[in-house]
Amino acid sequence: MALIVQKFGGSSVADAESIKRVAKRIVDTRRAGHDVVVAVSAMGDTTDELLDLAGQVAPVPAPRELDMLLSSGERISMALLAMAIHSMGYEARSFTGSQAGMITTADHGSARIVDVTPVRLREALDDGAIVIVAGFQGFNRDTRDITTLGRGGSDTTAVALAAALDADVCEIYSDVDGIFTADPRVVPLARKLERISAEEMLELAANGAKVLYIRAVEYARRHGVLIHARSTFTSNDGTYVLGEGMTDPRQNSEGAEMSDAIGMEEPVVAGVAIDRSQAKVAVVGVPDVPGSAAAIFTLVARTGANIDMIVQNAQSAQPGRTDISFTLPKQEAVEVVKVLAAEQESIGFENLVHDDQVGKLSVVGAGMRTHSGVSVTLFEALSKNGINIDMISTSEIRISVIVGENDLDEAARAVHTAYGLDGDVEATVYAGTGR
Ligand code: ASP
Ligand code: MG
């Protein structure tokens, strides 16, 4: 008998029918002899609708009240789900985040989990009940107020519950089959991965992949939680996300030899991610003296912008000057450009270029540590397709390039093929969001 945490996203509990289907799935797990703890998101687009409603009564809703409002979405789905399970003859108890002992920081709208005290959940489990917990919310001890964890926070709720209860696995259900080598809507030959390291998953998520939330994967890695990302609509295995030292539970029974063989086949590149949310700002003709970069990025930092890549040209067209380019989220670029333009004279640069028709393509793979020449494949694939590279950056296990936004999809397909990631058949593409 295992303890299994299951998380169901908004699209999995969008209406009464879906809730009944999810209830059946939970009951099936219980029938198989396992203890089940469920974290559930608000139904469908409830959170967006509530946000919209808040915006209609107040231009800037009070953060405390906004959390009161948004946390109600998950309260609806948790109660309905518990009722549905009851009517199938099984005991289920629903708990809000605070009842479940989700202790968070006080930051409304972006609270972080600092402790989980699942006393009531353990009691319920001991009584043989299925436990349903409202995702995305918690409670701060000092303010004694309800908090929310930020959009997509139910993944984190699930992982935190799994860690606190020492669950065997945290199953994250959504409307896609698992984690793919690329977004199947863009790369039709993308393949579902059997497993991926948490490290690679974090890089993919940080660079545009939307299946799992970064914070949840980080939490899982830190606390040694095994994640299984899978579909609500099939009983197929999805993708296991393995932290350091973890093994795919399916490999254990097959013996060491088998896992060695699988290890050898592990490709250098795990996946390709694309990100359309970034813009590029180039500060052209900056005086090439100590302090220029500090002056620019002090201003940028003051706007709160989140810089991704930074490139400084060794030499601009003019002696004594250099170009500094960086990328950041599109919405933040507008403000940054305004702030920099106002200081053109004091910094002494010649020109500002703001380009929001760019896209970032990243290839991620832990194998890059031990294989050389991985980047050549990327550059060749792009060159063969006549795609120009604007900026390049790398980490230990990632290579990213900035290309024109219109080239991004083609670039992803070409690169996916070049790294040998293509499957034999087109992936089934649901209208799904991965939530
Ligand atoms: N309902 C929240 C949201 O839509 C939390 C979640 O779905 O994970 O962001
Ligand atoms: Mg949602």
Side-chain angles (χ1 to χ4, degrees):
M1 184 175 105
L3 171 60
I4 298 178
V5 172
Q6 302 186 322
K7 180 259 171 176
F8 294 93
S11 65
S12 300
V13 291
D15 51 31
E17 264 333 291
S18 318
I19 289 176
K20 285 198 264 182
R21 182 171 39 214
V22 164
K24 181 169 180 311
R25 180 133 212 163
I26 295 166
V27 164
D28 284 346
T29 311
R30 179 81 192 117
R31 272 203 195 118
H34 305 303
D35 278 339
V36 194
V37 174
V38 175
V40 68
S41 293
M43 296 170 69
D45 297 325
T46 302
T47 308
D48 290 313
E49 287 158 13
L50 291 173
L51 268 172
D52 187 65
L53 199 54
Q56 288 179 41
V57 299
V60 186
R64 178 186 183 276
E65 304 311 325
L66 194 58
D67 274 358
M68 288 301 248
L69 180 72
L70 296 187
S71 61
S72 71
E74 271 71 11
R75 249 176 118 133
I76 295 173
S77 52
M78 76 174 193
L80 290 170
L81 190 52
M83 287 174 202
I85 294 171
H86 268 285
S87 74
M88 295 173 71
Y90 284 78
E91 209 208 323
R93 268 180 232 168
S94 65
F95 297 94
T96 63
S98 65
Q99 287 176 317
M102 284 287 160
I103 313 297
T104 72
T105 59
D107 315 294
H108 287 295
S110 59
R112 288 183 169 263
I113 298 169
V114 292
D115 194 12
V116 185
T117 52
V119 181
R120 298 197 60 187
L121 309 190
R122 284 214 190 276
E123 280 169 12
L125 287 172
D126 288 345
D127 291 346
I130 293 167
V131 168
I132 316 286
V133 178
F136 168 64
Q137 54 183 271
F139 174 80
N140 179 263
R141 277 187 176 133
D142 301 325
T143 63
R144 287 174 293 158
D145 278 328
I146 303 290
T147 55
T148 63
L149 308 178
R151 297 309 304 271
S154 302
D155 283 8
T156 317
T157 301
V159 171
L161 287 172
L165 295 164
D166 198 19
D168 295 85
V169 61
C170 179
E171 299 182 334
I172 299 193
Y173 287 89
S174 72
D175 56 4
V176 296
D177 283 341
I179 293 150
F180 282 74
T181 49
D183 183 342
R185 282 163 292 192
V186 174
V187 181
L189 291 176
R191 276 183 300 115
K192 188 189 83 187
L193 291 161
E194 292 301 314
R195 67 193 74 84
I196 186 168
S197 69
E199 180 188 37
E200 290 167 320
M201 188 64 235
L202 279 173
E203 284 278 355
L204 285 172
N207 288 283
K210 296 199 178 64
V211 199
L212 290 178
Y213 273 82
I214 298 182
R215 278 178 57 191
V217 181
E218 262 167 7
Y219 201 104
R221 183 162 74 155
R222 229 176 315 121
H223 293 87
V225 173
L226 174 66
I227 293 180
H228 182 190
R230 56 191 306 195
S231 163
T232 313
F233 303 104
T234 72
S235 55
N236 299 339
D237 268 352
T239 307
Y240 282 92
V241 182
L242 305 174
E244 227 168 294
M246 286 183 201
T247 47
D248 184 332
R250 294 162 302 183
Q251 274 176 283
N252 289 343
S253 53
E254 290 158 2
E257 226 170 284
M258 180 71 184
S259 57
D260 277 356
I262 291 170
M264 276 171 63
E265 280 170 19
E266 222 72 81
V268 178
V269 166
V272 176
I274 56 177
D275 183 357
R276 289 174 215 284
S277 67
Q278 303 251 315
K280 188 184 105 170
V281 174
V283 192
V284 180
V286 180
D288 196 2
V289 293
S292 284
I296 290 171
F297 290 106
T298 303
L299 288 172
V300 172
R302 249 182 241 154
T303 70
N306 232 315
I307 301 297
D308 183 19
M309 285 189 202
I310 302 177
V311 170
Q312 173 176 332
N313 292 353
Q315 221 170 358
S316 154
Q318 282 186 62
R321 293 198 176 258
T322 184
D323 298 343
I324 294 179
S325 314
F326 53 90
T327 61
L328 71 176
K330 276 184 176 136
Q331 326 82 271
E332 296 174 358
V334 182
E335 176 67 12
V336 163
V337 166
K338 218 168 71 192
V339 167
L340 285 175
E343 293 298 325
Q344 174 160 9
E345 224 164 286
S346 68
I347 302 171
F349 63 86
E350 289 169 343
N351 197 9
L352 261 185
V353 184
H354 175 192
D355 182 358
D356 64 6
Q357 308 288 301
V358 297
K360 183 167 75 166
L361 171 106
S362 304
V363 295
V364 170
M368 285 183 198
R369 283 209 184 87
T370 43
H371 290 73
S372 56
V374 179
S375 59
V376 178
T377 310
L378 169 65
F379 301 141
E380 271 180 4
L382 295 177
S383 120
K384 261 190 223 139
N385 286 272
I387 295 166
N388 189 42
I389 300 172
D390 216 359
M391 293 166 93
I392 303 170
S393 83
T394 62
S395 83
E396 234 187 330
I397 64 162
R398 172 182 55 84
I399 312 164
S400 298
V401 293
I402 297 290
V403 299
E405 194 169 13
N406 292 332
D407 289 334
L408 190 59
D409 290 356
E410 190 194 344
R413 289 188 284 270
V415 167
H416 195 268
T417 304
Y419 282 106
L421 295 172
D422 287 355
D424 301 329
V425 290
E426 293 205 359
T428 323
V429 179
Y430 304 105
T433 55
R435 304 312 311 150

